Amino acid sequence: MPSVGASLFWIALCAVIAPLIAGLVTRRLVPEVVLLLVLGTIIGPYALDLAVTGSEIGLLRELGLGMLFLLAGYEIDTDELTGRGGRRALVTWVICLALAFAVIGLLGVTGAINAEIAVAIALTSTALGTLLPILKDSGMIATRIGRTVLNHGAIGELGPVVAMAVLLGSRGTIGSLIVLAGFATAAVGVAFIPARLQREGSRLLTVIRLGSETTAQTTVRLTILLLVSLGALAALFEVDAILAAFAAGFILRRAFPGGDERLESKLDGLAFGLLIPVFFVTSGMAIDVSAVIASPGVLVTFVVLIVLVRGLPVFLAEKFDRGPDGLAPPPTIRERTQVALYSATALPLIVAVTGVAVDAGQMTTENASILVAAGAITVLALPTAASLIGRKAAPVR
């Protein structure tokens, strides 16, 4: 079995090679995250067996997952999320969930699929954390399409996490809802801390600001403390850590409503330079290549289901998009297709949902590998297709 040091070396090597290959591909059509997954699969225990995920690397992986969702939560505009676009995204996700249960329920009757609830939830997710670096690199964050994708992505992350807690939890529906409400109350309490510091103009706040540009790096350390604290809180309430990371991102945005370019640059360096690549490489390492190769029909079926269950309702819903003020012209078919393809891109939550189902004995590792591989294919194919068929949208004014 490879040692921790050897495993970390191969993971770090993959993290360096992936962006180099992505940069050499014409027009950067292959997202870096896809290459990280592929390289992780190659070095993983199901292929060359050069690296394994032990407890030490597992900790880095969890921090990477946390930073991925923290940055995703930080990018969300709460005004957008509570406005027309956010409400439409919520209704669309509920429709996606109902459609997923209907389709998977029918397939479950035939015995073709087990762990129906877990699979249905997985089909409704959007990999906002995965899309974030893609949207940033393409300059789409500030466009109408980018903002629409962020809305669908935020709901496509939060909705499945809540559904996981309620439908896959061991406490039952009522107990899970009570626990979620308790966690939300505690998170809201934490969110008031930065607001109080800013109102009081305390000396502590001055020290924090001054230390942010020294070796103390106080704002970065406080961000990590926020992430870890909410992670510990999530563990205490026994809810998924993804929810905690997303909440940390919202709280961080509350602390910096207008953004903070210097802090964002530092967090990007820490997250995308180390932690997030570790998450994606280790996710690739978990894919059982032989199981995927042995069931190509099931793999294709899962990919098609993801596109139909998540992408099609988004495509239809965007026909009613008239912008935040309700006066903008509707998006073109090309733009709606872009949004649908981006919204049907899924992976991190598929990894999370299948992990819960496997641990509970509801899903085999083989089926989980195929579903994760299907998610990886959506990351490879759908954003690339969206970039090929779409034209750059005008910045939001």
Side-chain angles (χ1 to χ4, degrees), residues 18-391:
L20 297 180
I21 297 176
L24 293 173
V25 176
T26 305
R27 297 175 59 187
R28 299 183 67 90
L29 292 179
V30 180
E32 178 190 330
V33 293
V34 173
L35 294 172
L36 290 171
L37 286 167
V38 172
L39 292 172
T41 303
I42 292 172
I43 68 170
Y46 296 105
L48 298 182
D49 196 20
L50 298 174
V52 294
T53 304
S55 58
E56 299 88 347
I57 294 176
L59 178 60
L60 289 176
R61 170 187 165 82
E62 291 301 314
L63 286 173
L65 179 63
M67 287 299 295
L68 189 69
F69 283 92
L70 180 146
L71 293 175
Y74 180 77
E75 288 290 341
I76 299 302
D77 186 338
T78 53
D79 291 335
E80 284 268 355
L81 202 58
T82 56
R84 293 172 180 267
R87 293 194 296 270
R88 186 172 57 256
L90 176 59
V91 172
T92 303
W93 181 80
V94 172
I95 293 173
C96 291
L97 185 64
L99 179 60
F101 277 125
V103 172
I104 298 303
L106 290 174
L107 291 176
V109 171
T110 66
I113 292 179
N114 58 2
E116 291 92 340
I117 294 177
V119 174
I121 293 173
L123 295 181
T124 67
S125 67
T126 296
L128 178 58
T130 304
L131 289 171
L132 190 60
I134 297 174
L135 295 175
K136 278 189 172 183
D137 290 343
S138 62
M140 292 184 62
I141 287 289
T143 68
R144 179 179 179 179
I145 290 178
R147 290 298 175 191
T148 303
V149 172
L150 288 178
N151 285 336
H152 284 290
I155 301 299
E157 298 279 24
L158 288 174
V161 169
V162 173
M164 281 173 57
V166 174
L167 300 178
L168 298 179
S170 58
R171 302 183 187 87
T173 302
I174 302 300
S176 297
L177 288 173
I178 292 173
V179 169
L180 277 175
F183 174 79
T185 302
V188 169
V190 173
F192 278 108
I193 295 175
R196 172 174 290 185
L197 285 175
Q198 289 177 343
R199 284 198 304 269
E200 294 178 353
S202 65
R203 183 181 178 186
L204 177 60
L205 182 59
T206 302
V207 171
I208 291 172
R209 286 173 175 168
L210 291 175
S212 65
E213 298 305 318
T214 69
T215 55
Q217 294 295 318
T218 47
T219 51
V220 175
R221 296 187 190 187
L222 283 170
T223 300
I224 299 301
L225 177 62
L226 172 65
L227 176 62
V228 173
S229 297
L230 286 180
L233 190 64
L236 179 65
F237 282 92
E238 296 183 13
V239 299
D240 199 280
I242 292 175
L243 185 61
F246 222 96
F250 277 112
I251 294 171
L252 189 62
R253 174 58 74 179
R254 178 183 175 86
F256 300 98
D260 187 311
E261 187 175 342
R262 287 176 294 185
L263 175 60
E264 292 163 15
S265 177
K266 295 170 185 176
L267 292 179
D268 283 349
L270 174 62
F272 294 111
L274 171 63
L275 298 175
I276 291 176
V278 170
F279 167 73
F280 282 115
V281 173
T282 52
S283 295
M285 291 165 56
I287 296 176
D288 187 342
V289 181
S290 60
V292 174
I293 294 175
S295 305
V298 178
L299 177 64
V300 172
T301 300
F302 277 141
V303 174
V304 172
L305 285 175
I306 291 172
V307 173
L308 291 180
V309 168
R310 183 60 176 150
L312 183 58
V314 170
F315 174 82
L316 297 175
E318 284 310 300
K319 182 179 181 180
F320 305 99
D321 181 12
R322 296 298 183 273
D325 56 4
L327 301 176
T332 64
I333 292 179
R334 186 187 298 268
E335 291 169 336
R336 289 162 54 197
T337 302
Q338 274 189 280
V339 174
L341 290 173
Y342 280 125
S343 298
T345 302
L347 184 64
L349 275 174
I350 291 181
V351 174
V353 172
T354 54
V356 170
V358 170
D359 291 342
Q362 301 173 357
M363 182 182 291
T364 64
T365 56
E366 291 78 10
N367 285 341
S369 294
I370 296 171
L371 192 51
V372 170
I377 288 175
T378 66
V379 175
L380 170 61
L382 302 189
T384 301
S387 67
L388 286 174
I389 67 171
R391 61 188 177 185

